[in-house]
Amino acid sequence: MSRLWNKLFFLMLCAIPLLSCGFVDLRQIGIIIEPNKTDALLAEAFSPVILKFDTEMKKKDVEGILQISSDTGVVTGDRFWEGNNLYFVPVAGWTAGIRYSLNLSGIVQAVDGREQRVELFNTFYAINKNAPPLLVHFSPGDGASVGTSGVILELHFSRPMKKLSVESALTFEGISGKTFEWLADDSILKVIPDKALSPWSQYRWNLKESAKSLDEVPLPKTYSGQFFTDLDQTLPKVERVFPVLNSVGKWFPTGLDFETGLGFGNGIAVEFNKAMDENVIRSIRFEPSLSGRVEKLSEKSIVYIFTKNPEPAVTYTLIISGDTKDSEGLKIGEDFKLNFIADIPVLNILSLDIYDNSNNFIVEIIPASNNVTTVSVDPSTRKLETMIYFSLPFNQEEKHNMVFKISLNSFFPKSISPVALQYVHWVSDDILYMVWEGFDVGDIDTPHYYKLTIPGGKNGISSGEGIFMKEDISILLEVINE
């Protein structure tokens, strides 16, 4: 009997430490992941991933070991609790067609003191599991040589695309303005530059993986390419310059040399070695300045049409700007210069004959500036007749204007009477007959002088448009008694 009590007493002593320290809870912490199947599908872009625990957890520990990632990197998301359930919602939303991986790796603790190492892994999709779109073809090809006009970047996709996402994801270096055109149910994109490209330049484009198909699946990678506008290697240049004459609305070469053969009413034709840009219209200037306009004769040639003919006996320089471009945008490079003298006649006075009132010849004068010639005048009539012989014929308008430009004025002394023009007659297109009256006749002691002036220059007498004397002709007439 005593042995039995001893055994009971020993067992009671052994149980005392267990009662004083509590007991060890060896139950597992229950964890359920939603979605709970491999490669399951979340319905929407902001559908949450949920970790469900069967007991209250220490939240920071659990949040710290939860990570969701994809091929593009770690997903940033908001974490919040509802009861014992941890919710994860991506900040930017899930992307369609992307496979995500959930990792829960580390030690978690329950509020009741239980501690457990977990190693959980799962994969899932959101919205759809569709395959990503691909850029299957693009032109110009990578590294291609192209011209500068009509260049279009064309992108061909394997599936219809979400237009705005592609346009936002595309960068095209060096293009200031462009137009997007979609074809083939939005599977082909044409990028059309607003302006011609610059010659001999490199152009790069880049399409980020943020571009998406119509079902929201992004490209699997970034695509890029480059091309060069160096297809045309020939610089523009002036091939020839020659005078042309207009007949029935068309310009024809005169066959004369430009440097000395540019005639009255001619235009200047400039021919280039290749088709030129529209800026060729503004390419020509002259030193000294000449007014006119430029018209295109063909893709390779232009004509300069003068507003007024060049002045005779003046050396001009034709200058074609080095910035003149061909149709591809290539520049000539340096100013093209060519000197010329217009083959336009100068108006001259061959001679001036003076007659008395009886039509008796008095003197022939070969005009030179400030000639002094003695002429006799009948004091009873006080008249002189002049016959002017010109080197060129006058048109009708200039014949009329001519009369009002020639003057004969009293010169010395100031007290002598002025003279007047009594009669005018054009004997022919190049001979002018004029009768003057009212002369005061002087003597040896008191000579009387009158000044005959025939004005030259642009504002002087002219036989036709642009044809005039270089300078004034002035003749002093010493009037004496016959």
Side-chain angles (χ1 to χ4, degrees):
M1 189 69 173
S2 61
R3 278 186 184 175
L4 179 59
W5 282 107
N6 288 337
K7 289 181 179 179
L8 291 173
F9 178 72
F10 177 76
L11 291 172
M12 291 173 65
L13 289 176
C14 292
I16 290 173
L18 294 175
L19 293 173
S20 62
C21 298
F23 63 92
V24 177
D25 192 344
L26 300 178
R27 290 176 300 162
Q28 293 288 315
I29 298 173
I31 306 174
I32 297 175
I33 300 175
E34 289 187 4
N36 58 4
K37 294 181 180 180
T38 300
D39 293 343
L41 181 66
L42 294 178
E44 299 178 1
F46 292 96
S47 296
V49 170
I50 308 172
L51 299 183
K52 297 182 177 180
F53 296 89
D54 62 359
T55 185
E56 186 177 357
M57 303 297 293
K58 290 186 177 180
K59 296 180 175 58
K60 293 296 182 183
D61 293 343
V62 179
E63 293 174 12
I65 64 171
L66 173 62
Q67 179 176 285
I68 297 177
S69 61
S70 69
D71 290 341
T72 60
V74 176
V75 179
T76 302
D78 294 323
R79 296 167 170 82
F80 61 91
W81 291 81
E82 290 186 3
N84 295 334
N85 299 334
L86 172 60
Y87 287 74
F88 180 95
V89 179
V91 173
W94 307 113
T95 300
I98 296 294
R99 193 183 194 210
Y100 292 95
S101 298
L102 181 150
N103 284 279
L104 189 67
S105 178
I107 297 174
V108 296
Q109 288 185 334
V111 173
D112 62 13
R114 283 180 291 167
E115 185 176 275
Q116 182 174 313
R117 172 173 288 279
V118 293
E119 295 288 343
L120 296 176
F121 175 81
N122 197 12
T123 57
F124 63 92
Y125 292 84
I127 306 173
N128 62 56
K129 297 182 182 180
N130 296 342
L134 301 174
L135 181 62
V136 295
H137 172 73
F138 60 85
S139 64
D142 196 25
S145 293
V146 299
T148 59
S149 301
V151 178
I152 298 175
L153 174 62
E154 197 166 307
L155 305 178
H156 293 238
F157 298 94
S158 60
R159 294 162 55 190
M161 301 298 288
K162 191 174 182 180
K163 293 189 288 188
L164 184 58
S165 73
V166 177
E167 294 169 9
S168 300
L170 178 67
T171 56
F172 200 161
E173 295 179 15
I175 305 298
S176 58
K178 53 189 176 293
T179 301
F180 296 109
E181 181 180 332
W182 287 90
L183 305 171
D185 295 328
D186 299 340
S187 64
I188 297 177
L189 172 61
K190 288 186 174 183
V191 185
I192 306 169
D194 291 345
K195 298 179 180 179
L197 306 183
S198 299
W200 292 0
S201 299
Q202 179 184 39
Y203 288 86
R204 297 176 179 270
W205 60 269
N206 185 79
L207 182 63
K208 295 184 292 186
E209 63 270 24
S210 57
K212 297 178 180 180
S213 61
L214 200 58
D215 54 7
E216 298 289 342
V217 181
L219 293 175
K221 65 176 184 176
T222 294
Y223 292 90
S224 61
Q226 62 179 342
F227 58 86
F228 303 88
T229 53
D230 59 354
L231 184 63
D232 189 347
Q233 299 286 330
T234 303
L235 291 175
K237 65 178 181 178
V238 177
E239 288 283 2
R240 63 181 183 132
V241 179
F242 52 97
V244 289
L245 182 65
N246 190 280
S247 176
V248 294
K250 295 183 179 180
W251 293 94
F252 297 93
T254 64
L256 298 176
D257 180 71
F258 169 69
E259 284 85 345
T260 58
L262 183 70
F264 182 84
N266 289 175
I268 299 176
V270 181
E271 187 176 286
F272 299 88
N273 64 325
K274 57 194 305 193
M276 301 301 289
D277 182 75
E278 289 300 321
N279 85 327
V280 74
I281 298 295
R282 301 177 294 277
S283 66
I284 294 181
R285 70 181 192 275
F286 297 89
E287 293 180 357
S289 178
L290 289 170
S291 62
R293 71 182 191 278
V294 176
E295 293 182 0
K296 292 192 76 172
L297 293 177
S298 69
E299 289 185 343
K300 295 182 179 182
S301 60
I302 57 175
V303 59
Y304 191 91
I305 305 168
F306 294 102
T307 303
K308 293 183 179 180
N309 287 285
E311 294 184 18
V314 175
T315 299
Y316 292 95
T317 301
L318 165 70
I319 303 172
I320 299 176
S321 172
D323 290 329
T324 304
K325 299 177 182 178
D326 65 16
S327 59
E328 287 293 313
L330 297 175
K331 297 181 180 180
I332 291 177
E334 295 183 355
D335 287 353
F336 174 88
K337 297 183 178 182
L338 193 62
N339 296 330
F340 67 96
I341 299 174
D343 186 20
I344 296 176
V346 178
L347 179 63
N348 290 309
I349 298 175
L350 301 178
S351 68
L352 187 148
D353 294 350
I354 298 179
Y355 301 83
D356 62 18
N357 191 48
S358 300
N359 201 26
N360 296 314
F361 176 76
I362 299 176
V363 66
E364 178 185 5
I365 302 172
I366 305 301
S369 185
N370 296 318
N371 280 47
V372 178
T373 301
T374 301
V375 294
S376 57
V377 175
D378 184 348
S380 63
T381 62
R382 303 171 65 192
K383 292 183 180 180
L384 278 179
E385 301 173 8
T386 60
M387 191 83 77
I388 306 175
Y389 296 83
F390 294 97
S391 62
L392 296 169
F394 283 69
N395 61 37
Q396 291 302 316
E397 181 181 358
E398 295 301 335
K399 285 180 181 180
H400 176 75
N401 295 334
M402 170 85 160
V403 175
F404 301 98
K405 293 182 178 180
I406 297 177
S407 63
L408 183 57
N409 300 312
S410 54
F411 184 74
F412 182 85
K414 292 183 178 180
S415 59
I416 61 178
S417 301
V419 296
L421 181 62
Q422 182 191 40
Y423 178 75
V424 176
H425 173 65
W426 281 93
V427 178
S428 66
D429 290 342
D430 57 356
I431 301 174
L432 177 61
Y433 174 73
M434 307 177 80
V435 178
W436 306 85
E437 63 178 354
F439 289 92
D440 280 351
V441 180
D443 53 34
I444 296 176
D445 296 325
T446 309
H448 290 175
Y449 293 93
Y450 290 84
K451 186 175 183 180
L452 174 66
T453 302
I454 304 174
K458 293 181 180 179
N459 297 319
I461 65 170
S462 172
S463 62
E465 184 181 355
I467 301 178
F468 49 84
M469 296 194 308
K470 292 183 65 176
E471 58 187 14
D472 295 351
I473 296 294
S474 296
I475 301 171
L476 284 177
L477 301 178
E478 181 183 0
V479 180
I480 62 174
N481 190 334
E482 61 180 1

